[in-house]
Amino acid sequence: MKVLISLVEVVEGTKIVREDGTANINGNTCHKILATIDEIPGASSHLSYLRLAADGIYSCQSTDPKAPESLELPQPLRSAGNGHSCRAP
């Protein structure tokens, strides 16, 4: 991973994303996803939670039952073809 820190300097670092166990949030089993970035000034670790549902993969940033979650990847995926089409704006 390369990040432009200023117009003069490019700093290289490493980003590692891994599953770090599970958590129960609102009765749902969620996978803890930990992202760490090394050797980039100001970068910090990030923890999020993903859960699989019938209509897709949801993400949230907290174990708080009132925390909002968002649909990251709807299922089933549709692609152009097979009777489906897509149009760029």
Side-chain angles (χ1 to χ4, degrees), residues 64-85:
D64 180 350
K66 296 178 183 174
E69 62 177 20
S70 58
L71 180 60
E72 293 290 322
L73 184 63
Q75 297 289 336
L77 293 176
R78 294 185 179 180
S79 63
N82 296 328
H84 300 287
S85 62

Side-chain angles (χ1 to χ4, degrees), residues 18-35:
R18 65 182 171 93
E19 182 180 3
D20 194 36
T22 59
N24 188 308
I25 304 173
N26 281 337
N28 297 310
T29 299
C30 299
H31 298 271
K32 293 167 55 175
I33 306 299
L34 179 62

Side-chain angles (χ1 to χ4, degrees), residues 15-59:
K15 180 176 184 178
I16 299 172
V17 179
R18 65 182 171 93
E19 182 180 3
D20 194 36
T22 59
N24 188 308
I25 304 173
N26 281 337
N28 297 310
T29 299
C30 299
H31 298 271
K32 293 167 55 175
I33 306 299
L34 179 62
T36 57
I37 300 174
D38 295 327
E39 302 170 15
I40 301 211
S44 60
S45 297
H46 178 77
L47 181 62
S48 61
Y49 300 87
L50 299 178
R51 72 174 179 87
L52 180 61
D55 60 341
I57 298 173
Y58 287 83
S59 171

